[in-house]
Each structure stands twice: as C-alpha cells, then as structure tokens.
Amino acid sequence: MTTMLSNQNNSIKNAKPIGVVLRISGDGENMRSHYNALDFCGHTYKIKDTVLLAHDSHGQMNKPWVVIIKDITGMKNGDIMIYVQCFHKDEVHAETIMHKCIIHFITEKSQIPLRKKYPGFIVQKVYNPNTKRLIKLTNKDFLPDMKSEIEELVLKTTSHLGIIPAINSEDDIDEMEVD
C-alpha cells in the first residue's frame, strides 16, 4: 500500500520514483530500490535538492524544516522514502515535501545578503540532535565529514552570492539592512 496524504480538497497525492533503479539494497521486506529523482504533485525532486518539509506521514502539519535530499528509495511495500540531511540524518516519507527552497549557508561573521536580491533561508547554525542545541557553522568540533560538507555548502553559497563581506564590528551588525 502506498503512503498517501490528503490535501484540503481531499485529493490523493502519491510520490512516484522517476528513472531507472540506480542500485538495490537490503533484502526481503527491507529491500529498497534507489533512484535519482521522484515526482510528487507534478514537481520533480532530485538528490541534492534543498526542500522544505512540513507534513508527517499522517498528513499532520509539523514545524517546517529545511533539508537536503541525500537519497530516494522505493520500499517493497510501495512507500517512497527520502533520506534527508541538514547535519542530522532522517528518513521521511516523500509526501512530507512542501516545495523546493533556496538555502544560503553563511557564517555568523559574514553579512547577510539582501532578501529582495537573494531570497531564501539563511542558515548560520545547525541542530545537533545529540546535545539538542544549535551549533554555529564555524564550530571547530564537527566531525571531519560534517566539517567538509559545511565548508562545501558555505563555498557554494559564496560562489552563488559572490563575495560576502565580513562583519567587522558590533556597529556593522546594527547597520545591516534588513528587508
């Protein structure tokens, strides 16, 4: 049985994998087919897309959160799952996707870009599920693979936005333009 969500109009929404199976993992009831993309509500989502999630598998609204899609799997029972990460790993039903979004990873020492020119979510801290606290992107205690991913995301943001000026003093923080 495929996991389904009903929207306000009571129409059924199903996520469907797109393309060929990239690989198969697990066996028996735990067998999963891995894909590069999925279709949900007429929109295509791919690995490495940044998305906003908000619904749980029962269609209830949760506090929205932004994530990066790391894997797309089709379960033997027909469920389509996405393995997501924004510095802690979760596996959720594909139907929890609200829409694609833009995420800018900017260190706290950099000036936040103008929202009108560069819309999107600003990430300066990430959630650590072990300590249940937010940690600055510049924290030195990240594991090497997480530190490498953070550096890559900050570099990607910097290349997209151009050079992000550093904040030099408390006066700069007070003078930052906020739209």
Side-chain angles (χ1 to χ4, degrees):
M1 172 181 236
T2 303
T3 301
M4 299 177 201
L5 290 180
S6 297
N7 68 8
Q8 296 159 347
N9 301 327
N10 292 326
S11 64
I12 303 301
K13 298 179 179 181
N14 293 325
K16 294 176 180 60
I18 297 175
V20 299
V21 174
L22 300 175
R23 66 184 174 89
I24 295 176
S25 64
D27 54 13
E29 291 299 315
N30 296 322
M31 188 168 74
R32 297 167 180 247
S33 300
H34 298 261
Y35 299 89
N36 192 42
L38 68 92
D39 174 83
F40 179 54
C41 297
H43 299 281
T44 300
Y45 300 94
K46 299 177 183 174
I47 292 174
K48 294 191 177 183
D49 278 350
T50 52
V51 296
L52 183 66
L53 304 180
H55 295 92
D56 66 16
S57 59
H58 303 291
Q60 301 297 313
M61 285 296 288
N62 286 333
K63 186 175 181 179
W65 46 306
V66 293
V67 297
I68 302 167
I69 298 175
K70 295 293 187 174
D71 195 9
I72 299 168
T73 59
M75 307 289 286
K76 193 170 185 175
N77 66 3
D79 286 351
I80 302 299
M81 305 297 288
I82 55 173
Y83 176 74
V84 298
Q85 182 174 356
C86 204
F87 306 101
H88 68 281
K89 299 170 182 154
D90 287 300
E91 185 174 65
V92 298
H93 287 274
E95 289 87 355
T96 62
I97 296 173
M98 290 182 68
H99 54 75
K100 289 183 184 180
C101 62
I102 298 169
I103 305 174
H104 304 293
F105 292 87
I106 300 174
T107 65
E108 72 279 357
K109 294 178 182 178
S110 298
Q111 192 169 20
I112 295 174
L114 299 174
R115 282 188 277 184
K116 286 183 179 178
K117 190 171 181 182
Y118 299 104
F121 292 95
I122 303 295
V123 173
Q124 291 185 306
K125 296 180 181 181
V126 294
Y127 180 71
N128 181 335
N130 298 326
T131 62
K132 297 185 179 179
R133 296 190 187 275
L134 291 173
I135 303 171
K136 293 178 181 180
L137 293 177
T138 54
N139 189 306
K140 304 292 183 209
D141 296 330
F142 286 115
L143 297 173
D145 60 332
M146 190 179 281
K147 190 177 220 171
S148 174
E149 184 173 8
I150 289 169
E151 289 170 358
E152 180 182 327
L153 292 167
V154 169
L155 183 61
K156 183 178 174 183
T157 296
T158 304
S159 69
H160 173 72
L161 300 179
I163 297 172
I164 303 172
I167 298 172
N168 296 324
S169 68
E170 291 297 319
D171 292 336
D172 288 346
I173 293 172
D174 293 335
E175 293 175 12
M176 283 185 352
E177 185 176 337
V178 179
D179 297 337

